Amino acid sequence: MLKKKPVLAIDAPEIPRKGDPYANNEPEEFVASIGGSHRLLLKKYSVYRPELVLPTTTFGLQTDDLDKDDIRAMWTVLKEFTLFPSMAIYNCGFKAGSTQAHKHMEFIPLPDFLLWPARANSTTDVIDLSNIVEDVATKIELVPFQHYVLQLPVGATVDQVFDAYESLLEHSRQAVSAADVGTSDYNFILTTHWIAVIPRRSAGSKGPFGADAAGMLGMVSIPNYSHLKWWSKLGYTRYLGQLGIPPVEEISKTVKSFHEREIPFRVYHGSTNSTRIINHDPKKIVDISGLNNVLKVDTIRKTALVEANVPMDQLVDATLEHDLLPPVVPEFPGITVGGSYAGTAGESSSFKHGCFDRTINWLQMILANGEVVKASPTERSDLFYGAVGAFGTVGVLTLLEVQLCAAGKFVELTYLPVSSSDEGVSKLRKCTQEPFDFVDGIMFSRDCGAIAAGRTTSELNHPIQRFSRPQDPWFYLHCRSKVKTKSSSDSSEVDVSNTTECVPIRDYLFRYDRGAFWMGAYAFDMFYTPFNTITRFVLDPYLHTRKMYEALHHSGLSQRYIIQDLAIPVDYAETFMEFVDNKFGIYPLWLCPLRGDSKAPLHATPTNCDLLINVGVWGVPKSYQKGDFDMFVSENREIEDRVRQLGGLKWLYAHCYYTEDEFWQIYDRKGYDELRSNYGAQGLPDIYQKIKKADKFVPTSRVRAVAKAVLRRESLLQKR
């Protein structure tokens, strides 16, 4: 394992006068003077044997580009130093993996295996390297980030190598500008046969051993076993893709190819929080699973630049480092930023801010013809609002700017008991008019429930309660324990005492992750396992939402459980809850107030209503025991019909059981079709085709489904 070398601030010009390791090297480290401009030294903290470093004689910044003297010195060493075949690397900037401020290049032995730039298909007999646009290799197979490579001609001169470097650097700058990553850092690699530039957006979240130029070539230096385990968990190739810039142009070309061939395609994210049965044909997908990075957090403007496939826990972690948070954070950590926009995502702060899409300033999208465009409330506003809730049927979402707000360390959470659905709705409405930051509720039965209202704070005025550790209670169970009301047959007075706790902010935001609200409890019944503190502790790794969604898709149980979220105008919420109680008797029910003034056509309710109550109906219907799929469909259609009668909307992450005519009586088909026509999306599946109910699905063995989820076998792509 490697000993960590000291990391010095990359933006401190005063470093050469204090702490510069190249200013006064030890005599035994000196190898040779190269042209008077550089000194060749043995590297003190070396990973490879031997390893050389080439600092400038006079101090220069590691954030500066290479000049011709640098290229000349590197080329001289490569050509003249024949002790071992080597490559020269330059890590320009901290995000490229540099740990010293003094400008320096490094030389390490070439490995026995073939490095991926050697596979570049650029022309090898180019003489005029000042005109090489068509010869740059940018699509080397299996490389998960943007890269620019040229094969060098035999006998290349310093001038030719420098021209090649400047050309590749220009490509890199264009990629950085298009990605808007807020940095110009890059890796440069040079051998006697090829030259490469790799634009960077991150050094890696684990410090200087994220990856430098050698790491981006696949030669990753790992300091200890914990880092080895971390890399293995993330996936080596996938993580390297996060450190570079994703090849959006390649995604664009794939989209354009499908469009030109008139082949409908689906977008593949690598995971899903939809409950619909999903089987993608791998020959007809656009893979955006690599767009999973928070590119920039702007603390002045309070915004975050985020790729579409970033999950909520990653976004929260990145913004909390700056004491900021998105105003709306969906409750499951695996829900992605793009999915929250293109689908529907409301949470306990949505009574103030609306659904997640209301917190987006602008977005980048690949249209069906492959064109990459930007949309905002003032630029292509029809696309900006029309893409909300359209589930990728207008274009492929790639990048979003998310609004942020100040984050406290805790949520001061108060539990308010209620003894009826009428009281629950009344208290929800009242709490939304008071200075709370978060409000939601749970009805445990028709006469027992709780409203949880919270304020952000950094002061610890109440006992701490956590929900993220295996030993912690599931939130809904803890909430129920705080509620003491009389039953319908009990004439004793109601204990209306309220309980207030301080919940760490991250625990609060993802409080429903463990157990997926309460749906995880059904797994215990399914496998005849006691449901208690001990079993929940032991089985905790398998009871988080990411694992549970994998098992759900392998098992097909989404076509046996009712899993629906329904947005009901506040004046009719009690009526709808009574319908669910009388018809299905499903409890608990989740209650979440939402702003009802969305500008998105697919989120617009039939009635003008300022406040909606999202009622989460998740549980076992009467058809479950009978295994009657037709009865299951009928039960869902009854729910949909009642929602429509009350002027509400159902969120379309779940199966839709409307007929096509019924669906388009609710939503504006004319406006939707015009939008798709304006942006050339007619070749994509329309939203009804995407969310309509699947045919009857024969589930796999439950044991097999769980085993697949535990082993992380792919559930979303058909095997061919």
Side-chain angles (χ1 to χ4, degrees), residues 115-124 126 129 132-141 143 145-152 164-165 167-169 171-172 187-191 193-199 216-217:
L115 296 171
W116 59 260
R119 295 188 277 114
N121 58 2
S122 56
T123 306
T124 58
V126 176
L129 288 179
I132 52 176
V133 175
E134 298 301 323
D135 296 298
V136 176
T138 61
K139 297 184 295 182
I140 298 176
E141 188 177 6
V143 179
F145 44 77
Q146 294 194 39
H147 55 277
Y148 306 97
V149 184
L150 272 171
Q151 295 282 355
L152 295 172
Y165 161 71
S167 177
L168 298 185
L169 188 58
H171 280 76
S172 176
N187 297 120
F188 171 74
I189 308 101
L190 177 66
T191 73
H193 298 288
W194 50 262
I195 181 173
V197 171
I198 303 168
M216 300 301 282
L217 296 178

Side-chain angles (χ1 to χ4, degrees), residues 624-694:
Y624 181 84
Q625 295 297 334
K626 298 180 179 181
D628 188 334
F629 182 73
D630 292 334
M631 183 178 179
F632 175 78
V633 171
S634 177
E635 290 168 329
N636 278 277
R637 284 185 55 78
E638 286 186 78
I639 292 175
E640 291 178 342
D641 186 56
R642 192 61 172 148
V643 171
R644 183 169 46 165
Q645 292 173 14
L646 296 175
L649 286 176
K650 64 169 286 180
W651 301 132
L652 302 177
Y653 73 86
H655 283 289
C656 175
Y657 298 88
Y658 295 120
T659 66
E660 189 166 6
D661 287 341
E662 290 170 342
F663 183 83
W664 290 116
Q665 287 174 20
I666 300 170
Y667 299 99
D668 177 13
R669 182 164 198 168
K670 181 180 179 182
Y672 174 76
D673 286 345
E674 286 180 357
L675 178 72
R676 280 164 50 89
S677 176
N678 291 341
Y679 291 98
Q682 303 97 316
L684 301 178
D686 72 25
I687 188 169
Y688 181 78
Q689 293 170 331
K690 193 165 186 178
I691 56 89
K692 68 180 180 180
K693 77 176 180 70

Side-chain angles (χ1 to χ4, degrees), residues 118-332:
R119 295 188 277 114
N121 58 2
S122 56
T123 306
T124 58
D125 58 354
V126 176
I127 299 301
D128 181 10
L129 288 179
S130 63
N131 184 22
I132 52 176
V133 175
E134 298 301 323
D135 296 298
V136 176
T138 61
K139 297 184 295 182
I140 298 176
E141 188 177 6
L142 302 180
V143 179
F145 44 77
Q146 294 194 39
H147 55 277
Y148 306 97
V149 184
L150 272 171
Q151 295 282 355
L152 295 172
V154 176
T157 66
V158 170
D159 287 342
Q160 290 175 323
V161 175
F162 185 69
D163 286 345
Y165 161 71
E166 287 199 317
S167 177
L168 298 185
L169 188 58
E170 181 59 30
H171 280 76
S172 176
R173 285 171 176 155
Q174 291 174 6
V176 166
S177 175
D180 193 18
V181 296
T183 178
S184 58
D185 298 357
Y186 61 90
N187 297 120
F188 171 74
I189 308 101
L190 177 66
T191 73
T192 56
H193 298 288
W194 50 262
I195 181 173
V197 171
I198 303 168
R200 293 288 294 271
R201 57 180 169 179
S202 173
S205 60
K206 295 295 182 179
F209 285 93
D212 61 3
M216 300 301 282
L217 296 178
M219 301 167 61
V220 179
S221 303
I222 299 176
N224 54 51
Y225 288 107
S226 65
H227 280 224
L228 178 63
K229 183 178 180 180
W230 179 75
W231 273 87
S232 179
K233 179 181 179 180
L234 289 174
Y236 298 96
T237 301
R238 181 179 181 183
Y239 184 61
L240 289 176
Q242 296 179 20
L243 305 184
I245 295 177
V248 174
E249 293 86 352
E250 297 308 308
I251 299 175
S252 171
K253 291 176 183 177
T254 302
V255 171
K256 183 177 181 180
S257 174
F258 283 127
H259 176 73
E260 291 174 344
R261 291 179 289 155
E262 298 183 348
I263 298 176
F265 65 85
R266 299 286 183 122
V267 177
Y268 173 66
H269 305 271
S271 64
T272 181
N273 281 270
S274 168
T275 62
R276 303 188 307 273
I277 298 298
I278 298 175
N279 273 309
H280 292 337
D281 183 343
K283 296 180 180 178
K284 298 178 181 179
I285 65 165
V286 172
D287 186 352
I288 68 164
S289 59
L291 299 180
N292 53 6
N293 292 272
V294 178
L295 302 182
K296 180 170 61 175
V297 176
D298 188 329
T299 58
I300 304 299
R301 296 179 57 240
K302 291 186 178 180
T303 60
L305 190 62
V306 185
E307 291 176 330
N309 214 40
V310 168
M312 284 297 152
D313 54 355
Q314 183 181 340
L315 176 59
V316 165
D317 290 343
T319 56
L320 277 180
E321 290 182 4
H322 306 276
D323 297 321
L324 297 170
L325 274 177
V328 178
V329 178
E331 64 279 351
F332 292 167

Side-chain angles (χ1 to χ4, degrees), residues 687-706:
I687 188 169
Y688 181 78
Q689 293 170 331
K690 193 165 186 178
I691 56 89
K692 68 180 180 180
K693 77 176 180 70
D695 295 331
K696 183 175 179 179
F697 181 78
V698 180
T700 61
S701 158
R702 297 173 190 177
V703 174
R704 184 182 176 192
V706 172

Side-chain angles (χ1 to χ4, degrees), residues 483-513:
V483 178
K484 298 177 181 178
T485 69
K486 65 179 182 179
S487 66
S488 57
S489 61
D490 187 356
S491 60
S492 62
E493 290 188 5
V494 179
D495 178 0
V496 295
S497 60
N498 302 330
T499 301
T500 300
E501 299 168 330
C502 280
V503 182
I505 185 68
R506 198 180 191 279
D507 282 48
Y508 175 81
L509 295 174
F510 303 125
R511 64 201 180 282
Y512 290 116
D513 177 43

